[in-house]
Amino acid sequence: DADVTQTPRNRITKTGKRIMLECSQTKGHDRMYWYRQDPGLGLRLIYYSFDVKDINKGEISDGYSVSRQAQAKFSLSLESAIPNQTALYFCATSDPQGVSTDTQYFGPGTRLTVL
Amino acid sequence: RKEVEQDPGPFNVPEGATVAFNCTYSNSASQSFFWYRQDCRKEPKLLMSVYSSGNEDGRFTAQLNRASQYISLLIRDSKLSDSATYLCVVNIRNDYKLSFGAGTTVTVRA
């Protein structure tokens, strides 16, 4: 089984709809991240969480919110989706106690299309 | 200026060739550098960390040039399976948040 899973894997929605993307991990890592990837651009950080009670905005948090329900779960919500939020979304985890504290482990991604 | 910049390529090379490409970063104080590999629209995966003295992992060699603020990746004896996008990744502010380049695409042809 994959260590980092994301659901759904693909989603098509309409402008104005609320949508939630979910991420679960079995790696036991405290740190979790949400990124989006657009063609020709690097991954951009939306939100990150260093533990269950810690939530931080990344570089492009406008229009998004997150919830860290447990160490293993980190959800990303689009309250009112708009077409320019069409992108590939990745969840990632990292382990500050590990050998390589910066290495991030990514989920398989969610392809979101907003019409 | 972008925090991490890469030549997008593509680099089209025959099997067995050597290919190399660079990445520049904006903060001279950055301490951690990585190359990640991303296959078409799949998740990025760590290829290798980049150490100050340079390091090899099989056919892959990574180097860091702090004076000029760039890192490089060299692939020797290219295989078809090396075809991918290579992401330059830097912990720009040494705060466990990574900055990603847009990627360099490498296509190895038979």
Side-chain angles (χ1 to χ4, degrees):
Chain A
D1 288 339
D3 294 320
V4 185
T5 58
Q6 292 183 233
T7 56
R9 295 293 311 279
N10 290 281
R11 180 71 182 267
I12 299 174
T13 192
K14 295 183 178 180
T15 297
K17 294 292 188 182
R18 183 179 188 275
I19 183 168
M20 178 181 288
L21 310 183
E22 299 188 351
C23 176
S24 294
Q25 53 114 345
T26 58
K27 300 184 78 66
H29 291 172
D30 286 327
R31 298 183 176 184
M32 298 187 73
Y33 310 80
W34 275 105
Y35 294 91
R36 65 177 281 176
Q37 186 175 36
D38 300 275
L41 298 177
L43 275 74
R44 292 182 290 167
L45 184 63
I46 306 172
Y47 270 95
Y48 63 101
S49 169
F50 282 179
D51 65 43
V52 174
K53 297 181 180 179
D54 176 74
I55 300 289
N56 303 282
K57 293 183 177 181
E59 60 181 297
I60 54 163
S61 59
D62 288 348
Y64 301 94
S65 62
V66 291
S67 173
R68 184 80 184 266
Q69 300 96 321
Q71 186 206 36
K73 296 184 181 296
F74 192 34
S75 300
L76 176 72
S77 294
L78 287 68
E79 296 300 326
S80 180
I82 56 177
N84 77 1
Q85 291 178 314
T86 293
L88 184 56
Y89 290 84
F90 288 106
C91 174
T93 73
S94 68
D95 177 14
Q97 307 302 325
V99 173
S100 177
T101 57
D102 295 318
T103 301
Q104 292 189 9
Y105 301 86
F106 287 82
T110 295
R111 188 181 304 276
L112 177 65
T113 302
V114 183
L115 301 176
Chain B
R1 180 186 176 190
K2 291 182 180 179
E3 292 182 330
V4 180
E5 295 199 67
Q6 297 183 247
D7 180 346
F11 289 78
N12 294 305
V13 299
E15 272 188 295
T18 295
V19 60
F21 40 90
N22 296 337
C23 154
T24 59
Y25 60 94
S26 61
N27 184 2
S28 61
S30 299
Q31 296 295 320
S32 302
F33 309 89
F34 310 88
W35 285 103
Y36 277 68
R37 171 191 170 127
Q38 186 176 26
D39 293 306
C40 187
R41 304 305 272 173
K42 294 191 175 180
E43 72 270 28
K45 293 182 179 179
L46 179 67
L47 177 68
M48 59 196 302
S49 301
V50 184
Y51 302 122
S52 297
S53 56
N55 48 297
E56 283 189 12
D57 183 0
R59 297 180 293 105
F60 297 83
T61 300
Q63 293 197 319
L64 168 63
N65 185 316
R66 287 193 182 275
S68 300
Q69 292 178 221
Y70 75 85
I71 65 173
S72 63
L73 182 66
L74 181 145
I75 307 173
R76 287 186 301 277
D77 188 22
S78 298
K79 311 293 185 189
L80 294 175
S81 58
D82 295 334
S83 297
T85 297
Y86 292 86
L87 307 179
C88 175
V89 183
V90 181
N91 188 339
I92 284 286
R93 285 167 290 279
N94 304 313
D95 59 0
Y96 302 111
K97 299 196 298 292
L98 303 180
S99 295
F100 289 77
T104 297
T105 298
V106 173
T107 302
V108 182
R109 62 183 187 274

